[in-house]
Amino acid sequence: MKRRALFGGAAAVGAAAVGGAVLGSAAAPADAPRPHGTDTVPFHGRHQAGIATDAQAHQSLLAFDLVRGVDAEAVGRLLTLLTDDAERLTAGRAPLADIEPEMAAVPARLTVTFGFGPRLVRIVAGPTAVPAWLRPLPPYPTIDRLEERWNGGDLLVQVAAEDPTTVAHAVRMMVRDARAFATLRWRQDGFRHAAGTHRPGTTMRNLFGQIDGSANAVPGTEEFDRVVWRDGPEEWLVGGTTMVVRRIAMDLDTWDEVGRTAREFSVGRRLSDGAPLTGGTETDDVDLDAVDERGFTVIGPAAHVRRARTDDPTQRIFRRAYNYDGVDGTGLVFTAFQADLEHQYLPMQARLAELDALNAWTTPIGSAVFAIPGGIAPGEHVGQALFG
Amino acid sequence: MIGPLAYPTGMFSRVITLLFAALLVLSGCGDGAGDDSGQSAGIAAADVWVKATDEDMSAVFAVISNSADTDATVVGVATDLTDSAELHETADGTMRPVESFTVPAGESLILEPGGNHLMLMDLTEPIEPGQEVTLTLEFEDGTTFDLAATAKDFAGGAEDYDDHAGHDGHDHEDHEDH
Ligand code: HEM
Ligand SMILES: [Cu+2]
């Protein structure tokens, strides 16, 4: 009898939408705001969720290495399992064989996004299937201090939700089901402002206090679609994209030594509201040609936005950074999505490595590149089109 | 309304009620229910999984629902993996074969670790994580229902519980009398 009490609910809860049962159980005053833990983001679609999705407060990036002996058939089984887990978890349903199904009851806008490193693509579809750009970024010796423990990976899983408990449980399910096939190479956890603390759509602040993400294309716009989504040529990348992960340490001690004016000058936007130093509001572009009364450009030659910015609209990227902060230091888990990595990302990164005022306080310590396959329909597993 | 298994707490009975609602939706979507292939009318299955194993035994778990207005009786299970597949129940920490499972009209049968399950014995090949295993449930009225089970790496909480509690109990790996 005791056993039932302990283990009885697993299969049962798996099939049920338990959100109501769990969230509704505590006595709460009638006028309390509705908890948003049951909010969900659809897993299926033309694109994988978690990229155009309004960024959730908490994210874990997992990079797995396939163990020796794992072949295409085994990768297929791994992706079948992880897809099934993701489908269920993002809908607030327990994964199969989860003894703690209650942990799945609060999806809190959970998304699970998958990316492939070059080795996985080679194992599944052979060396000719690996796109030329799917390889580590070139070295940037002027800035890089890469540590092998934060580099590369065969399979990326991006798990994000508004609730850190939800993220932890989903991560656990992924790690558990990957165990027979892969080892965890690295894990990078990050956070943004908690849900409900800011008006929806507010750009996040990074741990330098800067408003970070202002110049991004807005999901849902034609510009965003052009910047981010691929329409091929590889069938498995239709509706997909490319992803760069850079772990960038930020030195708060030396940043402390800098005054507010110099801080703003290093980027080209105001700390208070993210507006360009050349005027306007956060949503305006910086005016790189504007000069002050002495004839100097308002946006300095080494200002981050001058170096990052391009007039060529086909060369933009979509940044989706999370803060990290802990015993390992402080920084950004910088992620960028762009349809064409070579055309959009590489020139910008090369310019920033050459000259960027922010480089005085920032140090890339990890780097990885992944191909993000297109979205799937129910009944398919992620990346199925790669399997021919 | 409570499923065929009585749960001790109010919380679980709420869950079961919701579960039943979810299953109705599933069968309404044609999730295997009432196929034209001699499949049992009104039967649907959800959450079908099998424990991945390198050993010669494993077990299959699922939620089997019956939306018909008559009870359905499962009398056997068949699979290509082995000739020796049985219906098992667990009582007092020990599992044993049973002749049949009843899926009451309008309710569901829960097959779960530590409870009723479909037992696979004399396996000659490992069941790999992520593998799909197909099985056929045989009903008393001669109809059948096909199941596709996903193999999961499962450490098996129930089995551990028995070991730690010192029972001589339900442990698929060490089960002697098959
Ligand atoms: C720790 C590292 C970094 C920090 C703290 C940082 C911070 C910022 C800030 C505060 C802005 C201005 C607001 C905005 O538009 O988001 C900005 C803009 C930008 N950053 Fe960074 N950034 C970092 C790394 C990078 C990297 C590695 C890249 C690309 C390789 C990059 C590309 C850009 C771009 C494209 C813009 C927008 C420029 C424009 O069109 O106005 N950033 N960044
Ligand atoms: Cu058994």
Side-chain angles (χ1 to χ4, degrees), chain A:
Chain A
M1 214 60 251
K2 188 136 177 246
R3 176 206 309 286
R4 174 137 302 144
L6 277 175
F7 303 109
V13 184
V18 290
V22 173
L23 288 181
S25 54
D31 59 350
R34 186 186 68 89
H36 50 71
T38 50
D39 292 356
T40 57
V41 176
F43 177 73
H44 298 107
R46 181 173 151 71
H47 312 293
Q48 290 195 63
I51 299 166
T53 306
D54 189 20
Q56 305 94 322
H58 299 272
Q59 175 171 282
S60 276
L61 299 182
L62 311 173
F64 292 98
D65 281 342
L66 299 171
V67 297
R68 205 174 315 174
V70 166
D71 58 9
E73 186 269 339
V75 175
R77 283 189 282 112
L78 169 62
L79 294 174
T80 301
L81 285 169
L82 298 186
T83 301
D84 184 58
D85 288 340
E87 265 168 16
R88 289 166 185 270
L89 286 163
T90 55
R93 294 188 294 131
L96 294 176
D98 186 0
I99 299 187
E100 289 137 2
E102 300 81 3
M103 292 289 281
V106 179
R109 300 186 60 242
L110 176 69
T111 56
V112 183
T113 316
F114 297 91
F116 298 164
R119 182 159 166 265
L120 184 148
V121 176
R122 180 155 38 79
I123 288 171
V124 170
T128 55
V130 183
W133 49 264
L134 186 53
R135 56 174 178 194
L137 295 184
Y140 300 100
T142 52
I143 54 170
D144 282 357
R145 298 292 177 270
L146 302 184
E147 299 170 25
E148 197 44 33
R149 63 184 172 132
W150 302 120
N151 290 342
D154 297 336
L155 172 67
L156 173 98
V157 185
Q158 174 192 294
V159 178
E162 306 293 4
D163 181 345
T165 311
T166 302
V167 172
H169 178 248
V171 164
R172 175 62 195 153
M173 294 297 105
M174 297 292 142
V175 169
R176 192 185 72 167
D177 272 332
R179 194 165 51 187
F181 308 87
T183 54
L184 187 62
R185 181 185 181 85
W186 50 252
R187 169 177 177 169
Q188 302 194 43
D189 294 343
F191 59 89
R192 293 169 158 241
H193 303 293
T197 55
H198 292 66
R199 262 179 297 103
T202 302
T203 314
M204 79 152 189
R205 281 188 193 272
N206 63 34
L207 297 174
F208 279 168
Q210 302 158 336
I211 292 179
D212 192 339
S214 310
N216 263 338
V218 178
T221 62
E222 201 197 309
E223 184 197 2
F224 178 91
D225 291 351
R226 214 176 338 101
V227 168
V228 173
W229 303 126
R230 295 172 70 88
D231 46 19
E234 305 86 349
E235 192 198 335
W236 60 284
L237 285 169
V238 173
T241 183
T242 77
M243 179 184 195
V244 174
V245 182
R246 301 276 282 174
R247 186 174 184 85
I248 305 179
M250 308 198 322
D251 190 336
L252 295 185
D253 288 332
T254 52
W255 182 249
D256 272 350
E257 297 162 8
V258 184
R260 208 170 156 91
T261 309
R263 291 184 189 200
E264 293 182 331
F265 196 62
S266 69
V267 168
R269 284 178 176 269
R270 286 208 305 241
L271 285 165
S272 58
D273 59 0
L277 295 181
T278 49
T281 64
E282 190 203 337
T283 51
D284 289 312
D285 284 338
V286 290
D287 177 357
L288 297 178
D289 301 323
V291 288
D292 63 17
E293 58 282 6
R294 293 168 300 163
F296 293 112
T297 53
V298 177
I299 309 292
H304 181 65
V305 298
R306 176 180 296 283
R307 301 298 297 167
R309 205 178 159 70
T310 154
D311 285 338
D312 180 351
T314 71
Q315 284 194 307
R316 308 242 155 99
I317 63 173
F318 181 70
R319 295 165 289 132
R320 210 169 179 283
Y322 278 77
N323 300 313
Y324 75 84
D325 188 36
V327 286
D328 251 348
T330 298
L332 272 190
V333 182
F334 174 93
T335 63
F337 297 91
Q338 50 282 312
D340 183 343
L341 183 130
E342 287 172 319
H343 179 70
Q344 295 168 256
Y345 188 88
L346 294 185
M348 180 185 297
Q349 180 66 77
R351 282 198 306 276
L352 292 174
E354 185 186 71
L355 178 68
D356 173 6
L358 277 187
N359 290 343
W361 307 282
T362 62
T363 310
I365 57 173
S367 187
V369 174
F370 299 100
I372 308 292
I376 55 164
E380 298 177 326
H381 69 67
V382 166
Q384 189 153 321
L386 181 60
F387 286 72

Side-chain angles (χ1 to χ4, degrees), chain A residues 2-4 6-9 11-18 21-22 25 77 81 85 88 96-97 99 176-177 179-181, chain B residues 7 12 15-16 18-19 22 47-49 63 93 110-112 114-115 128-131 150-154 157-158 161-162:
Chain A
K2 188 136 177 246
R3 176 206 309 286
R4 174 137 302 144
L6 277 175
F7 303 109
V13 184
V18 290
V22 173
S25 54
R77 283 189 282 112
L81 285 169
D85 288 340
R88 289 166 185 270
L96 294 176
I99 299 187
R176 192 185 72 167
D177 272 332
R179 194 165 51 187
F181 308 87
Chain B
Y7 283 81
F12 271 126
V15 167
I16 296 297
L18 280 168
L19 157 72
D47 294 350
V48 192
W49 63 280
V63 179
I110 295 170
L111 306 176
E112 61 185 340
E128 311 267 17
Q131 186 181 331
T150 304
K152 296 281 283 195
D153 199 347
F154 182 67
Y161 171 68
D162 272 336

